[in-house]
């Protein structure tokens, strides 16, 4: 009977299946229990026998969750072969099988993607969208699409689940999908990624290589011209590099000049990247320390204002600030400036400890520094008011004259610094490639 069941599943003969089930209603369970491979539902799903699959699912829907010796479900088999109707039938009884992994760590969506079955991919993503985010050996499904040159599936996935972070995910070697597409000279894929996604065109892998470096190291062919033009438009390459590649790819002198230029540029970029990263870390650490100190001082000044507080109710309510009654105008300015300094530094601390990815950009570090300047200016005003209310009357006028001069110099200096750094910030932002600008706006 088991041999007859096997032959029926290969042929998709539902009549034989029904007759066998009449003789032994448990035959499907027995075969599943005794065998690890060649189970009827797996065979029928792989060969596309829709009626046979539906007959089994009607009688034994639980068999859709049974694995073979390779940990493959019937859904794995149907997806790998692109049988859309069978995929729909299997999903209708157990949609959670979308995320089941075989022995190689691939779920049914991975198998459908590498085979280029777009309709199957649509059904799987509709049933379980998060299945597309499962990684296989530190590779996303987008990496698999590029490796297997499945551009249509790649487009579909980018349109449905392709947010900025997902598109720019790196594999174990730090390669993005743009690295892989350039390395394999997939011109259409490179064009699609540069024009219709937020791929980071200057991203480096673990060896510090950008997509341009990958192109320079590979063998020369006529596809290089088209790829270099795409990268030039995206701001990765410059006109000098483009003109070198426009020459005969077999010209050894041009090749040598280009390779030497790329080698020196790569070393320079790696050094600059490390220096920038160290500089940013030092700046962030410094900002954290200074912000913590200023926040502590602002809190202390707010709870214990100059001249102290009334100790009893003889003149005013006990615990209220003396400065409210002796210097009401000063107190309002004191409270506002102290609060601005306190809130500004708390904002800096909160942003720095949040670990948000956009804080790694220089642009946002300059913004934090501007907030710090606002905080220090506010605390300077707080200090000036505190000393003013504590200075005796005879010396007050002389002190005010001196302090007013210092404050004017300070305000002028701060204005120049803020203006200068604002201009520099705008220049840095303008020099960024369009993809980086899009990424910054996306994070914002």
């Amino acid at each position: 009977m088991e041999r007859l069941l096997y032959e029926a599943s290969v042929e998709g003969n539902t009549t034989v299946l029904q007759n066998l089930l009449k003789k032994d209603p448990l035959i499907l369970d027995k075969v599943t229990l005794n065998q690890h491979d060649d189970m009827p539902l797996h065979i029928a799903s792989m060969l596309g026998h829709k009626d046979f699959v539906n007959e089994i699912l009607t009688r034994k829907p639980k068999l859709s969750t049974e694995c073979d010796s390779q940990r493959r479900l019937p859904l794995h088999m149907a997806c790998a072969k692109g049988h859309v109707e069978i995929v729909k039938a299997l999903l209708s009884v157990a949609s959670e099988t979308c995320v089941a992994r075989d022995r190689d760590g691939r779920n049914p969506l991975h198998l459908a993607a590498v085979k280029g079955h777009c309709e199957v991919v649509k059904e799987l993503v509709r049933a379980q969208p998060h299945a597309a985010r499962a990684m296989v050996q530190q590779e996303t499904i987008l990496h698999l699409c590029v490796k297997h040159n499945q551009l249509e599936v790649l487009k579909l996935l980018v349109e449905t689940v392709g947010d900025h972070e997902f598109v720019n995910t790196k594999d174990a070697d730090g390669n993005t999908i743009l690295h892989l597409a350039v390395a394999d000279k997939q011109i259409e894929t490179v064009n699609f990624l540069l024009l219709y996604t937020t791929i980071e065109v200057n991203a480096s892998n673990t060896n510090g290589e950008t997509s341009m470096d990958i192109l320079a190291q590979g063998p020369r062919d006529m596809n290089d011209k088209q790829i270099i033009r795409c990268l030039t438009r995206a701001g990765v390459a410059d006109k000098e590099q483009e003109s070198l590649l426009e020459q005969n790819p077999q010209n050894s002198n041009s090749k040598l000049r280009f390779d030497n230029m790329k080698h020196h540029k790569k070393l320079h970029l790696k050094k600059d990247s490390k220096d920038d990263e160290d500089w940013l870390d030092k700046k962030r650490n410094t900002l954290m320390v200074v912000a913590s100190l200023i926040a502590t001082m602002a809190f202390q000044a707010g709870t214990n204002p100059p001249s102290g507080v009334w100790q009893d109710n003889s003149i005013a309510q006990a615990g209220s600030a003396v400065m409210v009654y002796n210097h009401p105008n000063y107190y309002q300015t004191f409270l506002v400036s102290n609060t601005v300094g306190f809130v500004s530094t708390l904002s800096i601390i909160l942003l720095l400890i949040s670990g948000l990815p956009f804080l790694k950009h220089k642009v946002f570090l300059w913004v934090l520094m501007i907030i710090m300047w606002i905080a220090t200016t506010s605390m300077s005003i707080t200090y000036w008011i505190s000393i003013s209310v504590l200075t005796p009357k005879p010396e007050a006028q002389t002190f005010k004259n001196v302090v007013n001069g210092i404050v004017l110099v300070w305000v002028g200096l701060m204005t120049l610094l803020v203006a200068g750094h604002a201009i520099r910030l705008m220049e840095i932002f303008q020099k960024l490639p369009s993809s980086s600008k899009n990424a910054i706006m996306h994070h914002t």
Side-chain angles (χ1 to χ4, degrees):
M1 291 181 65
E2 289 183 3
R3 181 180 59 79
L4 292 174
L5 180 60
Y6 171 79
E7 292 175 354
S9 62
V10 171
E11 297 172 0
N13 194 326
T14 55
T15 303
V16 174
L17 173 63
Q18 292 167 352
N19 292 334
L20 291 173
L21 286 170
K22 288 180 182 178
K23 295 179 180 178
D24 185 357
L26 298 178
I27 187 171
L28 289 173
D29 301 278
K30 292 178 181 178
V31 170
T32 303
L33 180 66
N34 296 331
Q35 291 184 206
H36 294 291
D37 290 310
D38 298 335
M39 290 183 282
L41 187 55
H42 284 72
I43 295 172
S45 299
M46 178 178 63
L47 296 178
H49 299 316
K50 176 184 173 183
D51 294 337
F52 196 91
V53 169
N54 286 331
E55 185 70 24
I56 294 179
L57 293 178
T58 301
R59 296 171 179 267
K60 302 285 184 179
K62 284 292 184 181
L63 293 182
S64 63
T65 61
E66 292 288 340
C67 299
D68 62 12
S69 62
Q70 306 297 313
R71 297 192 59 78
R72 294 172 301 196
L73 299 176
L75 186 61
H76 284 92
M77 317 296 280
C79 290
K81 292 296 184 178
H83 301 309
V84 181
E85 295 301 321
I86 293 179
V87 168
K88 291 180 180 179
L90 292 168
L91 290 175
S92 66
V93 297
S95 62
E96 70 277 6
T97 53
C98 277
V99 297
R101 295 174 181 263
D102 61 15
R103 194 175 66 174
D104 297 323
R106 297 186 177 188
N107 63 33
L109 184 56
H110 294 135
L111 298 180
V114 300
K115 294 294 186 179
H117 301 311
C118 284
E119 293 302 318
V120 173
V121 171
K122 287 180 183 178
E123 294 297 327
L124 296 172
V125 172
R126 186 181 296 117
Q128 296 284 349
H130 60 279
R133 299 186 180 274
M135 299 186 70
V136 183
Q137 298 176 356
Q138 293 185 280
E139 290 182 333
T140 67
I141 192 171
L142 301 183
H143 287 92
L144 295 176
C145 288
V146 176
K147 281 190 171 182
H148 294 271
N149 201 10
Q150 299 295 347
L151 178 56
E152 294 305 315
V153 178
L154 178 68
K155 290 179 179 179
L156 174 62
L157 291 170
V158 168
E159 290 172 359
T160 52
V161 293
D163 56 70
H164 176 79
E165 183 179 357
F166 186 48
V167 169
N168 287 283
T169 303
K170 298 181 178 182
D171 62 14
D173 298 319
N175 292 314
T176 65
I177 52 178
L178 181 60
H179 284 93
L180 300 182
V182 170
D184 199 35
K185 308 293 179 72
Q186 297 180 23
I187 298 174
E188 291 185 5
T189 303
V190 172
N191 269 325
F192 170 74
L193 294 176
L194 295 176
L195 293 175
Y196 301 104
T197 72
T198 59
I199 192 74
E200 294 179 2
V201 294
N202 289 311
S204 300
N205 60 19
T206 52
N207 294 325
E209 299 167 339
T210 65
S211 55
M212 192 66 205
D213 298 320
I214 297 293
L215 180 65
Q217 293 170 6
R220 297 288 183 268
D221 58 36
M222 296 306 295
N223 291 332
D224 289 0
K225 292 182 179 181
Q226 298 183 51
I227 294 178
I228 195 70
R229 288 170 187 164
C230 297
L231 295 175
T232 302
R233 287 194 298 268
V236 181
D238 53 37
K239 292 297 181 181
E240 181 182 0
Q241 294 168 342
E242 183 178 5
S243 63
L244 283 175
L245 279 180
E246 286 292 338
Q247 301 176 26
N248 188 345
Q250 303 303 323
N251 188 315
S252 59
N253 291 331
S254 296
K255 180 178 182 296
L256 181 60
R257 285 178 58 204
F258 182 76
D259 286 344
N260 287 338
M261 179 179 64
K262 288 307 298 176
H263 176 69
H264 291 300
K265 183 178 179 182
K266 181 172 68 174
L267 293 178
H268 180 69
L269 287 175
K270 288 173 70 174
K271 183 178 183 300
D272 286 349
S273 177
K274 187 177 185 303
D275 291 342
D276 287 345
E277 188 175 342
D278 292 341
W279 181 84
L280 287 173
D281 285 339
K282 290 178 182 179
K283 286 291 184 181
R284 283 192 290 264
N285 293 335
T286 302
L287 283 173
M288 176 64 79
V289 173
V290 175
S292 300
L293 291 174
I294 294 178
T296 303
M297 291 189 297
F299 179 83
Q300 185 65 26
T303 57
N304 188 23
S307 301
V309 297
W310 296 108
Q311 301 299 315
D312 53 45
N313 294 320
S314 58
I315 299 176
Q317 184 179 356
S320 59
V322 175
M323 192 165 61
V324 175
Y325 299 92
N326 293 341
H327 306 279
N329 294 330
Y330 276 162
Y331 184 73
Q332 292 179 5
T333 307
F334 168 83
L335 195 60
V336 170
S337 61
N338 189 66
T339 302
V340 169
F342 184 64
V343 173
S344 298
T345 50
L346 286 185
S347 301
I348 293 173
I349 294 171
L350 179 62
L351 287 171
L352 288 175
I353 66 176
S354 65
L356 295 174
F358 62 74
L359 292 175
K360 296 180 181 179
H361 293 281
K362 279 188 177 181
V363 175
F364 291 97
L365 187 61
W366 290 121
V367 172
L368 292 180
M369 292 179 68
I370 291 174
I371 298 175
M372 178 58 72
W373 292 329
I374 294 172
T376 53
T377 302
S378 300
M379 296 312 298
S380 299
I381 296 173
T382 303
Y383 169 79
W384 171 62
I385 295 174
S386 300
I387 297 301
S388 296
V389 301
L390 295 174
T391 304
K393 290 293 183 181
E395 293 83 5
Q397 188 60 43
T398 303
F399 170 76
K400 286 181 178 179
N401 293 335
V402 174
V403 170
N404 286 339
I406 295 174
V407 169
L408 288 175
V409 173
W410 172 264
V411 170
L413 177 62
M414 292 301 297
T415 302
L416 290 175
L417 284 174
V418 171
H421 281 285
I423 294 172
R424 186 177 178 185
L425 180 63
M426 293 174 63
E427 291 177 350
I428 291 174
F429 188 78
Q430 290 298 326
K431 291 179 181 179
L432 290 174
S434 57
S435 60
S436 297
K437 291 180 182 178
N438 293 334
I440 291 174
M441 296 305 294
H442 174 81
H443 285 305
T444 305

